[in-house]
């Protein structure tokens, strides 16, 4: 098992390395290496999960940097939380890569696409197996880089580079908080090791004020990766990438990393309940506000994108109120049904060559497998029994109710109503009634390489709820140290309310879009201000564009002009000062130096003239002068001696 655990991230990493170094030699054959590599990782992950279920938890590490009394180690660990994530990540990655054989066929950058997918998978697998924050951070940043590369795959298309940059830069803002948190963590503990840090937190070995800043910083990083308020703006634009990439990012890799980080850091958050309250409220508001935007979006992938933001909000809500394993359980079920929805949407887009649901319709007869798969995913997302979302979302809502957060509970119920409404709207507009475009009328089902992953994910969306409940209820508490809080009576009550909420949302959507008892256009006009706010996604994009993008550009221009003016003035001042100094030195030279030299010459001439007068050549005069000198000397000695 020890060997298998180590091999899980190694094979995708080797596939990335070989494909990347091969260049044009593997121009259209990257999948032949990438898919077997991720399949091997999946097999190793399943074996590892089975052995973890039997009680084994391998850990190993090696020293990376060492000084006297100080060392940084890298290592991998496998526990119930990471074992579950390994299976989810490797399984979804395998299905996405198989699906891409059909979706990306003929793409001009086929091998590069598979190389980036392989690195993406390897980084995420390393992230969930890391036994310390430093290794997690390194894998975390590689995941961010790969998302940038994959979102920008169609870089030649207008707007795609901007979407990739937006995702990269927005998540980097959150990463600043993560890096500061890890710096404070190391300064306060002297280690990055999970086990050592958690032991210190539980024993009170970390100052409370330090813990507050550490946990807030960690949450900022998680909020950036998982697109929580106010970092949610990057995720809808990430739809510019290929649809299989959207499935991987939204289901099992990048956005899951933030939720995983909070769950992994559980012992730290237990010591700071105030920060847990913050996480709960951010998650609850994100779940509701993102779901509401899904009501007015016409791009099928963006509907699913806002759905992802909303469901991630549910996970954060659960973690914030202490529903740790229900939150992680929902992370697992969401990975399956959201991957199913995205890949089904990709099959639709592949058939009709548009993402606008207003130009679809009538596809249930033409895409029977795809429509059935999308419907199963939609029912799982809406939380309808017995689909996967019913089990995990209801568990979160029950824990929220029992925690005493009644407002957050009803926010979650309202979000459930809206979720059921917008996903039913998507089903009706895409698959029911008559085709609304020529492409929709002529659409045909995708090939087996794309439909087989849909069938597998459909089975998981059906069964992952009751199968995962056993895992989530028995294995995760070993790591999380908590038990189920709610009683059967509370669970039945919450299940009833949540099921009624789902039925209300589905029934309302059918009334508007299927039976057409109400006119959506008239409703939009009646609530035009609210409709406009939702269409603008609450103005976050416009605000960020004005403040951060345009503000930075304007500031840069001003600084540029300021610099040029200052430099010009400084150069002119230096030149003028230098000229004045040179003129002053020249004048000083003429007045002092020349005057001194000329004056010395004139004085010497005059002195010479005087001396020459004394030199008459008469010896009698010289003797007389000598006599006078002697007499003066005698008198001087007499007077002063």
């Amino acid at each position: 098992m020890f060997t298998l655990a180590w091999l899980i991230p190694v094979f995708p990493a080797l596939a990335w390395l070989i494909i990347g170094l091969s260049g044009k030699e593997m121009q259209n054959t990257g999948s032949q290496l990438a898919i077997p590599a991720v399949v091997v990782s999946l097999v190793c992950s399943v074996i590892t999960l089975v052995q973890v279920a039997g009680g084994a938890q391998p850990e190993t590490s090696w020293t990376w940097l060492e000084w006297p009394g100080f060392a940084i180690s890298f290592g991998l660990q496998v526990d119930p939380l990471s074992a579950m994530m390994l299976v989810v990540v490797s399984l979804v990655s395998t299905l996405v890569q198989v699906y891409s054989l059909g979706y990306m066929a003929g793409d001009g950058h086929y091998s590069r696409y598979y190389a980036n997918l392989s690195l993406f998978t390897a980084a995420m697998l390393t992230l969930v197996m890391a036994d310390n924050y430093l290794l997690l951070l390194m894998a975390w940043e590689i995941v961010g880089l790969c998302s940038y590369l994959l979102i920008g795959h169609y870089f030649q298309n207008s707007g795609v580079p901007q979407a990739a940059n937006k995702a990269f830069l927005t998540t980097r803002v959150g990463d600043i908080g993560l890096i500061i948190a890890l710096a404070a963590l190391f300064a306060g503990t002297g280690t990055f090791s999970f086990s050592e840090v958690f032991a210190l937190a539980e024993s009170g070995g970390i100052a409370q004020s330090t813990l507050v800043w550490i946990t807030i910083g960690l949450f900022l990083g998680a909020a950036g990766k998982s697109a929580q308020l106010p970092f949610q703006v990057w995720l809808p634009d990430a739809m510019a990438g290929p649809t299989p990439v959207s499935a991987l990012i939204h289901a099992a890799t990048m956005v899951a990393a933030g939720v995983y980080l909070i769950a992994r850091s559980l012992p730290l958050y237990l010591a700071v309940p105030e920060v847990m309250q913050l996480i709960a409220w951010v998650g609850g508001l994100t779940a509701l506000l993102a779901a509401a935007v899904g009501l007015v979006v016409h791009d099928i992938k963006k509907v699913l994108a806002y759905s992802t933001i909303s469901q991630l909000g549910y996970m954060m809500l659960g973690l914030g109120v202490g529903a740790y394993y229900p939150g992680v359980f929902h992370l697992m079920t969401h990975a399956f049904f959201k991957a199913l929805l995205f890949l089904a949407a990709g099959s639709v887009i592949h058939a009709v060559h548009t993402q606008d649901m207003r130009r679809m319709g009538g596809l249930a007869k033409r895409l029977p497998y795809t429509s059935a798969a999308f419907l199963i995913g939609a029912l799982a997302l809406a939380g309808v029994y017995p689909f996967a979302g019913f089990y995990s979302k209801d568990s979160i809502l029950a824990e929220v109710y029992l925690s005493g957060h009644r407002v957050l509970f009803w926010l979650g119920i309202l979000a459930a109503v809206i979720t059921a409404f917008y996903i039913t709207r998507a089903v009706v507009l895409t698959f029911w009634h008559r085709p609304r475009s020529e492409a929709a009328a002529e659409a045909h089902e995708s090939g087996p390489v794309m439909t087989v992953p849909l069938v597998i994910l459909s089975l998981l969306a059906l069964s992952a709820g009751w199968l995962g409940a056993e895992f989530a209820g028995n294995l995760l508490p070993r790591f999380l140290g908590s038990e189920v809080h709610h009683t059967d009576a509370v669970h039945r009550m919450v299940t009833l309310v949540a099921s009624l909420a789902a039925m209300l949302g589905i029934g309302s959507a059918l009334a508007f879009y299927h039976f057409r008892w109400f006119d959506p256009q008239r409703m939009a006009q009646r609530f035009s201000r609210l409709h406009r706010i939702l269409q603008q996604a609450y103005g976050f994009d416009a605000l960020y564009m004005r403040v951060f993008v345009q503000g930075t550009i304007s500031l840069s221009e001003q600084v540029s002009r300021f610099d040029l003016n200052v430099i010009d003035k400084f150069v002119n001042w230096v030149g003028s000062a230098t000229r004045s100094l040179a003129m002053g030195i020249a004048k000083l030279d003429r007045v002092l130096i020349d005057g001194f030299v000329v004056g010395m010459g004139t004085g010497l001439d005059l002195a010479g003239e005087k001396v020459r007068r004394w030199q008459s050549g008469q010896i009698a005069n010289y003797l007389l002068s000598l006599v006078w000198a002697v007499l003066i000397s005698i008198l001087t000695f007499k007077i002063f001696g």
Side-chain angles (χ1 to χ4, degrees), residues 117-188:
L117 278 183
S118 297
L119 181 59
F120 201 12
T121 302
M124 189 64 194
L125 292 170
T126 302
L127 189 152
V128 300
M129 292 180 68
D131 74 340
N132 65 83
Y133 282 107
L134 186 59
L135 181 58
L136 182 146
L137 176 64
M138 292 182 176
W140 180 281
E141 295 300 336
I142 296 174
V143 166
L145 171 63
C146 291
S147 68
Y148 166 79
L149 295 174
L150 288 167
I151 294 170
H153 181 76
Y154 299 128
F155 61 88
Q156 68 277 8
N157 294 347
S158 176
V160 173
Q162 290 79 4
N165 288 334
K166 187 176 184 179
F168 188 79
L169 294 175
T170 303
T171 54
R172 292 291 78 71
V173 174
D175 288 354
I176 293 173
L178 174 60
I179 292 171
I180 293 173
L182 296 188
L185 178 71
F186 189 76

Side-chain angles (χ1 to χ4, degrees), residues 160-231:
V160 173
Q162 290 79 4
N165 288 334
K166 187 176 184 179
F168 188 79
L169 294 175
T170 303
T171 54
R172 292 291 78 71
V173 174
D175 288 354
I176 293 173
L178 174 60
I179 292 171
I180 293 173
L182 296 188
L185 178 71
F186 189 76
T189 65
T191 181
F192 290 110
S193 171
F194 291 146
S195 58
E196 296 178 11
V197 169
F198 298 160
L200 287 171
E202 292 170 355
S203 64
I206 306 176
Q208 188 69 15
S209 59
T210 303
L211 263 180
V212 169
W213 289 111
I214 289 172
T215 50
I216 289 176
L218 292 175
F219 178 59
L220 285 175
K225 274 287 191 290
S226 294
Q228 299 296 284
L229 288 170
F231 302 104

Side-chain angles (χ1 to χ4, degrees), residues 235-260:
L235 199 56
D237 286 4
M239 299 301 97
T243 301
V245 170
S246 302
L248 192 58
I249 290 177
H250 288 238
T253 53
M254 184 166 173
V255 296
V259 178
Y260 174 82

Side-chain angles (χ1 to χ4, degrees), residues 260-277:
Y260 174 82
L261 176 62
I262 301 300
R264 174 59 71 189
S265 303
L266 159 66
L268 297 180
Y269 285 97
L270 288 175
V272 279
E274 300 86 356
V275 179
M276 291 179 63
Q277 294 284 325

